Amino acid sequence: MFSSLVALVTRRPRLVLAVTVVLLLGGGVLASTAFGKLQTSGFDDPASESSRAADVMDARFHGHPNVLLLVTARRGDVDDATVAAAGRSVAADLAAQPGARDVVSYWTGGGPALRSRDDRSALVVASVRDDDEASDIVDRYESGQRWPDTVTVRPGGAATVGEDIGHQVSADLAVAESIAIPITLVLLVMAFAGVVAALLPLGIGLLGIVGGFATLSVIGGLTDVSIFAVNLATAMGLGLGIDYSLLMVSRFREELAAGRERADAVAVTVHAAGRTILFSGATVIVALAVMLLFPPYFLKSMAYAGIGVTLVAVVAAIVSLPALLMVLGERVNSWRVGGLIGLVRRRRTSRSEPVGVSGADGGAATGAREAGESPFWRRVAATVMRRPVLTGLPVIAVLLVLASPFLHVDFGTPDDRVLQPGSASSRVVGDALREDFAADLGGAMEVVVQAAGTGPVDRSALAAYTATLSRLPGVARVDSALGTYVQGRLAVPPGPASSRFAAAGADSLQVVTSVDYASGRAQDLVRAARAVPSPPGTSALIGGAPAVLVDGKSTVADRLPLALGLIALATFVLLFLFTGSVLLPVKAIVLNGLAMCAVFGASVWIFSDGHLAGLLDFTPGPLDTSMPVLLFCIAFGLSMDYEVFLLSRIKEAHDAGAGNSEAVATGLARVGRIVTTAAALLAVTFVAFATSSVRFMQMFGVGTALAIVLDATLIRGVLVPAFMRVAGNANWWAPRPLRILHDRFGLHEYRAPAPPAGPVEELAGSGRA
C-alpha cells in the first residue's frame, strides 16, 4: 500500500494536488449547506418512556407547551385594565401565528398559576409542534415586536431555549475561530521558524474542517444531526491537521537535513510517519465510533463529525501533504523567521551535551545527536527513569486529587441556565419563572393516559389517578381535563382551557412540580409517579423535563459498560498490532483512564462547584448527561493519538537494537517536542471555546484542553517513561500465539536505507517542531 502511495506522490505530485483542490472546492460547496440541516436538540433517547410520551403529545395533543411569553407590566399590575387588554392582545396575536395551538394565558382562563407572586408579570403559553414554525414564532417576539407601552413581552420555553442556544453556538464558533486561528498560526511559525512550513498544518486542517462539514451536510439530509457537531468538526479538523502535519513535516525536514534527496525524503516520511498517522487515526476513529452506541443523536452527531474529520485529515496528511512536500522540496524552509527564535535555538543546541541513560540492559545514550532530537526531553526521560517510582507516584497522586470531585457529580439536561445570565431572552424568562412564579411550567411532568380499547378513559378512575399524583411529595398541582387538583382535591373546576387535555381515547395531565426539575427530589418524583398504577384499562406514559433526565441517565448507565469494554478492546487490538506487545496497550489504557478521571473531577470542580464561574461567566449546575461520554471519547482518542506518536519512535529505536531504557529516551527525545507542540496548539483550539456563552460548550472546550495538556506533559513525559523503566524488557513481551499473530498481521517498522555517507550540514532555518 505505502509503496504504491509513495510512487504516486513522488511521480505525480501535481496531479494529486489538482485532485485535492477539486475535492476541496466540491466539499466546500457541500459543506456550505450543512447549517441549514442541523438541529438544536438531540439530548434524549428516542426509545425512552419520556420520548414516547412526547410523541403521543405531539400526535394527539398538539405537543407540549414549549413557547412561553412573559408579559410584564411597566406600571401597575397584571389586573389593571390597560395591562389586561395588552395581555389579551398578546395572546390573540400568538394564537394567530401558524402552528400555535392550545394558547392559554392568565387573562384568558389560565388561572392564578400563570401570574407571578408580585402580580407584575403573567404568562401566555402555547404548544408549537413544528420546529420551523416554533423558530419563526420565537424570532417574531425576540425581534422586538412593539406592544402598547403598558407591557414588555419576552419569549421563553423549550423552543426559545433551543433557538437561543443555536444562535449562540454559531456566534461563539466565529469568536473561537477568530481567537484560535491567529494564535495557532503564530505558534506554528515559532515552532517551525518558517512561514511556509507553518502554513501547511493550517491547510490540512482546512481540508479536515471542510470534510467534517460536508459529512454533516450529507448525513443531515438523511437523519437528525445536532448543530453542536460543527464545533467539534472545527476543533478536530484544525487540531488533527496540526498533529499529523507536524509529524509529517518534521520527519520530512529531518530526512532532508540527514542528506536525502527530495524523493527519498518523501518516501521515508510516508513509510514511517504515514504508518504512524494511519494507526493514530484508527485509534481516534475507534474512540469516536463508540458514541454511535448511545441513542441520543447529539452523541451520534459528534461521532459523524469526528469520524468524517479524522478520515479526511488522515488521507490529506498521507496523500496530499507528501505531494505538496514533493513539489516544495527544500522550499518548505522558505520565508524563514530568524532573529530571537533562531538565536535561542542555536545557543540551546550549542550548550547541550549528550545525557546518558543507564538501564537494566546496560545501554547508554552517548555520542552525537541525530538530527531532530530534543536534549530537553532526553534529560526528562533520563531523570524519570533514574527514579521511576519516586517521580511517578507524586504524579499519580496529583491526578487522583484532581479526580476526587467527580465522586459528588450531579447530572442534568440542558435548559436555559446553560446560557450566560441575561445573555438571551430564554434565560431571562427562565430566571423569572424560577424566582417569581410558584411553579416552573418548563419543569413540569407530562402524563399521557391512553385507553386500551377505542372507548374513552373512565372519568372517575382518571379523577382518582389525578388526585393520587397530586398528593406525591414535590407536586404543586396537576392540571387535567377534569380541572386542577392540589393535594388530592379538586381546587379549580374545569374551564374552557381544560379541553386541551382531552383527546379521543386519551387524556394528558400536566404535573407541575414545586422543586427544580434537575434535583434529586424531582427525579425521585418521576420514579414515584411511574410506580402509581394507571387507571384500570389504560396505560400511562410519563414524560417532561424531569423524566427526560431520569431516562437520559439510565440510557447512559445502561450502555456505558459496553462502550468502555469495546473501546478498551479495540484500543488493545490496534496497539498490539502496532507494537507486538501485550503490556504496552494495557499501560496506555490504564494511564489514559487515570488522566480522564482527573479531567472529569476538574470539570465538576469548575462547572458544577462553580470555582471559576466568575472568570468564565457561567451559572454553576449539573453536568449534562451526554458530556462525560463525549469528553471521554474525544479526549481518549486524542490521547491515543499522542500515544501512537511516542510508541512509534520508541519501537523504531528498539527494533534498531537499542535497549529498553535507551529506546524510551530516544523515542521521547525525537517526538517529545512534536507532541508538546501539537498538544499546545490543539489545546489553544479547544480552550478557545471557553469564550462561549453556552456552559456545556465551555466545559467541552476546557475539559478537552486540560486532557490534552495532562496527556502531553504528566502522562507522556513522566508516567510513560516511569512505567516502561519499571517494566523493563517485559514491555515487549507477548505469549507465543500472539507473537505469531503479530508476525503475520501486525505492523512492522519500515527500515529506511541509510542516507548518503559523509557529513551533512543541517538545512538553514529548519526549526524543527
Side-chain angles (χ1 to χ4, degrees):
M1 169 186 169
F2 282 95
S3 297
S4 300
L5 181 59
V6 166
L8 175 64
V9 298
T10 55
R11 297 174 187 173
R12 298 288 187 272
R14 287 178 172 80
L15 175 62
V16 172
L17 294 178
V19 172
T20 300
V21 171
V22 171
L23 293 176
L24 176 62
L25 294 175
V29 172
L30 188 59
S32 65
T33 66
F35 278 88
K37 303 176 181 179
L38 305 181
Q39 311 295 322
T40 57
S41 53
F43 298 95
D44 55 340
D45 178 0
S48 66
E49 181 175 339
S50 55
S51 292
R52 287 184 284 127
D55 291 340
V56 175
M57 289 291 295
D58 287 341
R60 308 189 69 175
F61 296 94
H62 301 137
H64 57 284
N66 59 343
V67 174
L68 310 178
L69 300 182
L70 179 69
V71 181
T72 303
R74 294 182 184 272
R75 295 175 297 276
D77 60 40
V78 295
D79 291 318
D80 288 349
T82 55
V83 175
R88 286 191 290 270
S89 175
V90 172
D93 183 82
L94 179 57
Q97 302 308 311
R101 300 288 187 273
D102 298 333
V103 178
V104 179
S105 74
Y106 166 71
W107 301 278
T108 58
L114 300 184
R115 183 183 62 203
S116 65
R117 294 187 181 94
D118 61 6
D119 296 333
R120 294 194 64 248
S121 300
L123 296 175
V124 180
V125 183
S127 300
V128 186
R129 185 170 59 184
D130 184 82
D131 290 340
D132 292 335
E133 291 175 337
S135 176
D136 291 340
I137 291 174
V138 170
D139 289 342
R140 172 180 176 81
Y141 293 101
E142 282 192 329
S143 64
Q145 170 79 22
R146 294 191 61 83
W147 299 104
D149 292 339
T150 53
V151 297
T152 61
V153 180
R154 285 184 177 274
T160 311
V161 171
E163 187 80 359
D164 287 344
I165 290 177
H167 289 161
Q168 195 61 58
V169 165
S170 299
D172 291 343
L173 182 60
V175 172
E177 288 177 340
S178 68
I179 294 172
I181 291 178
I183 294 176
T184 298
L185 180 57
V186 170
L187 293 176
L188 282 170
V189 171
M190 294 177 65
F192 281 116
V195 175
V196 172
L199 289 173
L200 297 180
L202 287 181
I204 300 302
L206 175 62
L207 285 172
I209 293 172
V210 170
F213 279 26
T215 301
L216 292 178
S217 179
V218 172
I219 298 177
L222 303 174
T223 187
D224 290 331
V225 176
S226 172
I227 193 172
F228 302 110
V230 302
N231 297 72
L232 180 65
T234 302
M236 286 198 67
L238 189 60
L240 291 179
I242 290 170
D243 280 1
Y244 297 156
S245 299
L246 276 171
L247 195 65
M248 293 290 287
V249 174
S250 297
R251 187 62 182 254
F252 177 68
R253 298 171 85 179
E254 181 179 326
E255 298 304 326
L256 287 179
R260 297 188 190 278
E261 295 296 327
R262 181 186 309 186
D264 291 338
V266 169
V268 173
T269 299
V270 172
H271 276 291
R275 288 166 183 255
T276 300
I277 289 171
L278 191 62
F279 262 80
S280 173
T283 60
V284 174
I285 288 173
V286 163
L288 294 170
V290 167
M291 287 190 286
L292 296 174
L293 294 174
F294 295 90
Y297 73 77
F298 170 81
L299 290 175
K300 292 181 184 292
S301 302
M302 295 298 183
Y304 302 147
I307 291 172
V309 165
T310 305
L311 287 173
V312 173
V314 168
V315 173
I318 65 177
V319 179
S320 302
L321 183 56
L324 187 56
L325 293 175
M326 185 64 194
V327 171
L328 288 173
E330 289 77 4
R331 286 175 295 177
V332 72
N333 298 308
S334 299
W335 296 2
R336 186 170 64 89
V337 178
L340 180 61
I341 297 174
L343 178 63
V344 170
R345 286 189 172 180
R346 285 193 295 274
R347 288 182 176 177
R348 190 178 293 167
T349 302
S350 65
R351 289 199 303 264
S352 64
E353 297 178 357
V355 180
V357 180
S358 300
D361 49 36
T366 57
R369 291 278 183 271
E370 286 187 11
E373 281 202 6
S374 165
F376 169 78
W377 283 108
R378 181 172 281 274
R379 284 195 294 271
V380 168
T383 301
V384 170
M385 287 193 288
R386 287 192 190 103
R387 299 286 189 273
V389 176
L390 189 62
T391 54
L393 286 180
V395 171
I396 293 175
V398 168
L399 294 176
L400 290 176
V401 170
L402 285 175
S404 60
F406 196 66
L407 295 174
H408 62 263
V409 64
D410 287 323
F411 293 102
T413 51
D415 62 10
D416 61 276
R417 283 169 288 189
V418 304
L419 296 163
Q420 289 178 347
S423 63
S425 177
S426 60
R427 177 62 196 267
V428 174
V429 173
D431 287 340
L433 290 175
R434 286 181 289 271
E435 296 169 7
D436 301 331
F437 287 76
D440 180 6
L441 289 178
M445 288 195 305
E446 296 166 354
V447 183
V448 179
V449 180
Q450 300 182 87
T454 58
V457 177
D458 181 80
R459 308 326 274 170
S460 60
L462 180 64
Y465 179 66
T466 305
T468 302
L469 292 179
S470 70
R471 285 193 295 264
L472 294 176
V475 173
R477 70 179 193 275
V478 180
D479 298 326
S480 72
L482 303 178
T484 298
Y485 282 75
V486 176
Q487 292 297 309
R489 296 183 178 181
L490 180 63
V492 180
S498 302
S499 61
R500 72 185 190 274
F501 294 109
D507 277 84
S508 67
L509 310 176
Q510 184 172 262
V511 182
V512 182
T513 67
S514 59
V515 296
D516 189 293
Y517 88 93
S519 66
R521 290 181 61 192
Q523 296 171 59
D524 291 340
L525 176 57
V526 172
R527 299 183 186 98
R530 287 177 172 172
V532 175
S534 63
T538 69
S539 61
L541 296 173
I542 295 181
V548 169
L549 175 55
V550 170
D551 292 340
K553 292 171 64 174
S554 176
T555 295
V556 171
D558 289 346
R559 289 163 175 78
L560 193 58
L562 175 62
L564 294 178
L566 287 177
I567 201 171
L569 177 62
T571 300
F572 178 88
V573 171
L574 285 171
L575 290 183
F576 169 74
L577 294 176
F578 188 70
T579 62
S581 164
V582 169
L583 190 60
L584 290 180
V586 174
K587 177 268 302 176
I589 293 169
V590 171
L591 294 186
N592 277 23
L594 179 61
M596 290 311 307
C597 290
V599 171
F600 290 154
S603 297
V604 172
W605 188 81
I606 295 171
F607 293 99
S608 290
D609 298 342
H611 287 94
L612 297 183
L615 177 63
L616 298 178
D617 193 17
F618 64 84
T619 301
L623 300 188
D624 171 51
T625 53
S626 299
M627 290 310 298
V629 176
L630 172 64
L631 187 56
F632 177 84
C633 292
I634 299 298
F636 191 91
L638 294 175
S639 297
M640 283 301 172
D641 210 27
Y642 299 139
E643 177 77 10
V644 172
F645 285 10
L646 180 57
L647 286 181
S648 172
R649 298 310 292 258
I650 293 176
K651 186 173 186 295
E652 185 177 327
H654 183 266
D655 289 352
N660 177 70
S661 297
E662 170 59 17
V664 173
T666 300
L668 193 58
R670 290 179 179 176
V671 85
R673 185 187 296 148
I674 295 175
V675 167
T676 51
T677 301
L681 293 167
L682 189 55
V684 166
T685 301
F686 278 100
V687 84
F689 290 114
T691 62
S692 174
S693 298
V694 181
R695 186 182 66 215
F696 62 78
M697 294 310 301
Q698 290 179 307
M699 177 196 160
F700 172 61
V702 172
T704 307
L706 178 61
I708 292 166
V709 171
L710 289 177
D711 183 80
T713 54
L714 298 183
I715 302 297
R716 304 292 153 234
V718 179
L719 292 185
V720 168
F723 181 95
M724 295 190 72
R725 174 65 179 85
V726 171
N729 291 329
N731 284 309
W732 310 102
W733 176 84
R736 179 176 174 80
L738 290 182
R739 287 201 305 271
I740 296 173
L741 182 66
H742 180 266
D743 289 342
R744 183 170 182 179
F745 299 107
L747 174 70
H748 300 281
E749 283 295 328
Y750 172 72
R751 300 294 181 86
V760 177
E761 184 176 350
E762 185 174 340
L763 292 175
S766 63
R768 287 171 195 84

